[in-house]
Structures are given as C-alpha cells and as structure tokens.
C-alpha cells in the first residue's frame, strides 16, 4: 500500500479515516489532528500555561512533545511513587528527566517519600486498599495542587481514545451517572479550587500514539506498573477494538456521540453539589478530612504505632 | 506473493512462523487484533499489508495499557 499523500510506502493504515500514510505524513496527520481536538473542544490557547501530567509512558511523553511542536507553553509534572518492583519508579523518573533535557522542556518532580514520608509500596503493605485506588487519589490531588499553586491555566493528561471509550463503555454498562456527568475532554474549573483538566489526545487511538512515539524515537517506559490491576479497563479496550475491527470508526463515533449528547447526563448547568472544606488542607470535599489527607494520616498513625512498639 | 518463514517476537517470546505472506496473516495466525499492536520489520514500522521475506525479523508491540 502506498501513502495517500505521496508515493512512499505506507507505515500505518488508519481505517477509520480510510487513510494509509507514510511515516512523514502520519506524523503530520497526528499533530494536525491533535491541534483540531484542542480547537474543537476549546481546551486551551497559546497564552495559557499547560501543566502536563507525565508518567513516563508513551501517551504522556508524546503529548508533551506534540504540544511543544504546536507552540504551547507547557510544564511537565511527574510524581515519583516509590515503586521498587522492577525498579519501576526509578526507571520512569529517569526517562522523564532524559526526555525533558533532550527536548528542553521544564519538569517538576515530587517524591511521595520526600514530601509525605511514604511510598506506594509502603502504603500497599499496610493492605488497606488496592494500590491503584490509593494511587489514583494521590495523583489527582498532587496534580491539582501543583496546577493551582503554580497559577497555571489547566492540567493536561495523555488519555487517548481507547482510554476514553473503555471508561465510557464501563460507565454506561453500570449506569455510573456521577462519572458520566464528569466525563469530557475538558472539565472546567470547579469550586474555585479544582483546576481545569483537559485531554488533547482523547481522539487519538492508542495505536496512533504508540506509532507516533515509535517514529519519533520517544524513549518511554514500556513495562506496566507492577500493581496495574485494572483488568476491566483492558477488557473493555479489547471489546472496543473487536467492534472497531468490524466497523471502523466506531470508537470515535462512540465518544463524539456521547459528548454531543452530554446534556442527557448533566444536571442543570452551573449547579455545583455543596461540599465541605477539608479542615487539614482546605480542599473542597464530601467530608473532612479529604481522601488525600486521610491517606497521609493513616500512614502516619501506622508509623507512629510501629515506633512505639519497637 | 510467495509464502515466507519469519522470526516473530511478541510479549518477550521469540517464535518462527512459516507459510505467511503478510503481517496481517501473522496477526491472524496469532489471534491478535491489529488495533491493539504496532508491528515492525527489521526495526521499521510497517502496515498490515507489508509483504514478508524469508528470515524477516518481526516485532509485535502491544499498545494497550491498563490503568
Ligand atoms: S497502575 Fe495503579 S499503582 Fe500503578 S501507577 Fe497506575 S494507579 Fe498507581
Ligand atoms: Zn507520504
Ligand atoms: Zn485534605
């Protein structure tokens, strides 16, 4: 198969666009489509400062790279979770630092251990919750905290079309109205506290982000986190890919259709649920202390009782 | 198009696959959905209709992540 734009050999066949492209034209396509998504959902502008959540995986690094190419002002933020298995956190951190240096992009790194005295490994050992539930709360909290405190305009994550449609399918199957209300490429600021969250890759497939990272020789963490246990998300991705294989373009239609019909899942506009304030950190929360402060306190309690016993 | 015998690396395992003409046929033989992987031959990204030669080194890279 030849590239549709030139005579070179195609390296990817994008069935949902009925398009086969060579390396060079695929790279152009990928960047241009990201630009279109940013415009379509009015995610941010050239004047905004965008914090990019960087895990060290392909999606976040590719996103950072493309936003730079498109001329946006970005600042990376990475959380060192302290996961020792397979040297996961250390390798991730190193890849983030190398990437930032190679591309002249600024990054801030927060170590859970240094800032809060514990790692995900240590928390996991306490066996209170699954690692991912705790980790998710911590990441959301710290990402928002950083975005707020730096006065940046929004927080961008590397969620791709496969992530978004898998979540959407799961939320619909279980009629998770609360989650459905909040699923959107752009979550506006809320409670005068939570920074806007945006997903510029929400219309790019996981295959596209992997192909782009490969072609751009982006050195990303290939290993999965050892605690990765979200089997249902992978299961839903597989199902969506089966459907996509039969009917190309389904994933994109599914997501766009949902967004176009979002009103059916939203409460009256502008009405925010009433929330308390965390007495410890000031974050709006259903009940004080907030989930993040509870995690930190629980850990400190265990540490101090261990000290007393020894 | 004649059939080829190629080396395939997938999920850390190496195997020889014969009687295949294209990358698409390898994926079909292994029951892999093309949407869930990218494929390289001799370290170059290729589309599924890529025509294989005897001895080609094929790598199938999973793109689906959890979380
Ligand atoms: S897989 Fe779970 S524990 Fe690992 S980084 Fe993701 S959320 Fe955290
Ligand atoms: Zn071309
Ligand atoms: Zn709090």
């Amino acid at each position: 198969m030849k590239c549709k734009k030139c005579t070179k050999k195609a390296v990817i066949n994008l069935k949902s666009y009925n398009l086969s492209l060579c390396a060079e034209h695929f790279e152009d396509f990928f960047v241009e489509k990201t630009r279109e998504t940013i415009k379509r959902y009015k995610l941010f502008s050239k004047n905004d400062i965008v914090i990019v959540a960087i895990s060290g995986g392909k999606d976040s690094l590719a996103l950072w790279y493309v936003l730079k190419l498109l001329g946006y002002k970005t600042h990376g933020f990475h959380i060192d979770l302290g996961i020792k298995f397979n040297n996961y956190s250390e390798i991730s951190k190193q890849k983030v630092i190398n990437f930032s240096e190679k591309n002249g992009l600024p990054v801030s790194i927060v170590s859970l251990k240094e800032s809060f005295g514990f790692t995900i490994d240590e928390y996991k050992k306490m066996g209170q919750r699954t690692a991912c539930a705790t980790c998710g709360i911590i990441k959301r909290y710290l990402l928002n905290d950083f975005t707020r405190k730096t006065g940046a305009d929004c927080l961008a994550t590397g969620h791709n079309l496969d992530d978004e449609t898998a979540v959407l399918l799961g939320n619909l199957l279980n009629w998770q109205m609360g989650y459905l209300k909040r699923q959107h490429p752009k979550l506006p600021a809320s409670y005068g506290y939570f920074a806007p969250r945006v997903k510029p890759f929400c219309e790019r497939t996981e295959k596209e982000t992997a192909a782009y990272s490969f072609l751009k020789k982006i050195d990303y963490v290939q290993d999965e986190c050892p605690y990765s246990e979200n089997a249902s998300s992978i299961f839903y991705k597989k199902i969506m890919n089966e459907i996509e294989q039969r009917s190309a373009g389904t994933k994109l239609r599914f997501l766009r259709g949902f967004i176009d019909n979002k009103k059916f899942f939203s409460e009256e506009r502008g009405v925010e649920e009433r929330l308390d304030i965390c007495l410890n950190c000031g974050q709006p929360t259903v009940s004080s202390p907030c989930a993040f402060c509870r995690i930190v306190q629980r850990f400190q309690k265990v540490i101090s009782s261990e000290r007393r016993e020894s | 198009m004649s059939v080829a015998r190629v080396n395939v690396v997938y999920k850390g395992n190496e195997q020889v696959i014969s009687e295949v003409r294209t990358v698409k046929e390898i994926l079909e033989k292994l029951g892999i959905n093309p949407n869930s992987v990218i494929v390289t031959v001799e370290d170059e990204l290729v589309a599924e209709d890529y025509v294989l030669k005897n001895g080609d080194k094929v790598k199938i890279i999973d793109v689906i992540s959890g979380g």
Side-chain angles (χ1 to χ4, degrees), chain A residues 5 8 29 47 59 65 71 87 96 110 129-130 145 149 173 181 190 192 200 205 218 226 252 259 263 274 301:
Chain A
K5 310 239 159 147
K8 278 191 222 143
F29 165 92
N47 297 324
D59 300 306
Y65 189 90
N87 220 2
V96 172
V110 163
R129 264 179 202 261
T130 64
D145 194 55
K149 288 188 176 150
L173 289 176
K181 261 179 233 164
S190 58
T205 65
I218 292 174
L252 190 56
I259 293 165
K263 56 179 185 292
R274 264 193 61 93
K301 219 185 269 170

Side-chain angles (χ1 to χ4, degrees), chain A residues 3-8 21-26:
Chain A
C3 172
K4 210 163 188 175
K5 310 239 159 147
C6 67
T7 52
K8 278 191 222 143
L21 295 171
C22 69
E24 190 191 330
H25 283 117
F26 169 67

Side-chain angles (χ1 to χ4, degrees), chain A residues 97-110:
Chain A
I97 293 172
N98 293 348
F99 183 88
S100 122
E101 285 173 356
K102 192 172 159 197
N103 294 285
L105 290 163
V107 67
S108 299
I109 298 177
V110 163

Side-chain angles (χ1 to χ4, degrees), chain A residues 27-63:
Chain A
E27 288 170 17
D28 291 349
F29 165 92
F30 186 82
V31 173
E32 183 52 28
K33 284 289 168 192
T34 308
R35 201 182 63 79
E36 278 175 24
T37 303
I38 295 169
K39 240 178 110 181
R40 167 184 279 262
Y41 301 111
K42 299 187 178 66
L43 300 187
F44 42 78
S45 75
K46 291 267 158 85
N47 297 324
D48 289 341
I49 296 192
V50 182
I51 303 297
V52 188
I54 306 291
S55 65
K58 65 181 187 318
D59 300 306
S60 59
L61 290 179
L63 175 60

Side-chain angles (χ1 to χ4, degrees), chain A residues 1 9-13 15 58 162 206-207 210-211 214-215 222 224 228 230 233-234 237 241-242 244-245, chain B residues 24 27 33-40 43-51 61-67:
Chain A
M1 223 182 311
K9 203 172 209 171
V11 299
I12 193 161
N13 178 10
K15 286 210 191 81
K58 65 181 187 318
D162 294 59
E206 200 143 19
K207 181 171 174 124
F214 179 86
L215 291 170
Q222 300 221 3
E224 283 273 334
S228 170
N230 203 340
S233 140
I234 290 184
K237 282 184 179 180
N241 276 339
E242 291 293 316
E244 182 76 23
Q245 192 58 16
Chain B
K24 183 169 182 249
L27 298 181
N33 186 316
N35 297 315
S36 67
V37 293
I38 56 172
V39 180
T40 64
D43 290 322
E44 299 277 352
L45 187 66
V46 298
E48 283 119 55
D49 69 340
Y50 182 89
V51 178
I61 304 165
D62 237 313
V63 303
I64 301 303
S65 60

